[in-house]
């Protein structure tokens, strides 16, 4: 009985302190955002590696594409996969 009263007192005190979440719940949004961020990071690294190892471009265009991908991770990745890959000599089998 004493532990129940102590737990209730602690929860009540933490509820009174601003900025402290008394429920101690984990938000789903931060987990989903972390997973999506990790996927985007991996896809950016794959695109940059493919771009750097390709032989169909000069150094200046490679640097520009790497900067676009790094500055705009989602938009740069979409632009690279749609625009830059089509003219780099890749052929689908």
């Amino acid at each position: 009985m004493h532990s129940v009263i102590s737990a209730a007192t602690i929860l009540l005190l933490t509820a009174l302190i601003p900025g402290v979440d008394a429920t101690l719940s984990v938000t789903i949004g931060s987990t989903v955002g972390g997973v999506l961020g990790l996927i985007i990071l991996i896809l950016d690294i794959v695109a940059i590696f493919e771009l750097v190892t390709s032989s169909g471009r000069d150094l200046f265009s490679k640097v520009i594409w790497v900067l676009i991908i790094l500055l705009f991770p989602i938009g740069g990745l979409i632009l690279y996969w749609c625009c830059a890959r089509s003219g780099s000599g890749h052929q689908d089998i």
Side-chain angles (χ1 to χ4, degrees):
M1 180 74 177
H2 181 65
S3 62
V4 173
I5 294 173
S6 297
T9 305
I10 291 172
L11 285 175
L12 180 63
L13 289 175
T14 57
L16 296 175
I17 299 172
V20 175
D21 187 14
T23 60
L24 301 175
S25 64
V26 176
T27 57
I28 283 281
S30 63
T31 304
V32 172
V35 171
L36 289 177
L38 182 64
I39 291 170
I40 291 170
L41 176 67
I42 291 170
L43 290 175
D44 282 345
I45 290 171
V46 168
I48 290 172
F49 179 76
E50 181 181 293
L51 178 65
V52 170
T53 58
S54 69
S55 61
R57 303 189 179 283
D58 60 339
L59 181 63
F60 181 73
S61 65
K62 287 182 182 182
V63 170
I64 294 298
W65 274 112
V66 167
L67 286 175
I68 290 172
I69 292 171
L70 289 177
L71 292 176
F72 307 104
I74 298 172
L77 185 66
I78 292 171
L79 278 174
Y80 174 73
W81 287 96
C82 292
C83 301
R85 288 190 77 219
S86 63
S88 63
H90 290 286
Q91 294 181 1
D92 295 330
I93 297 176

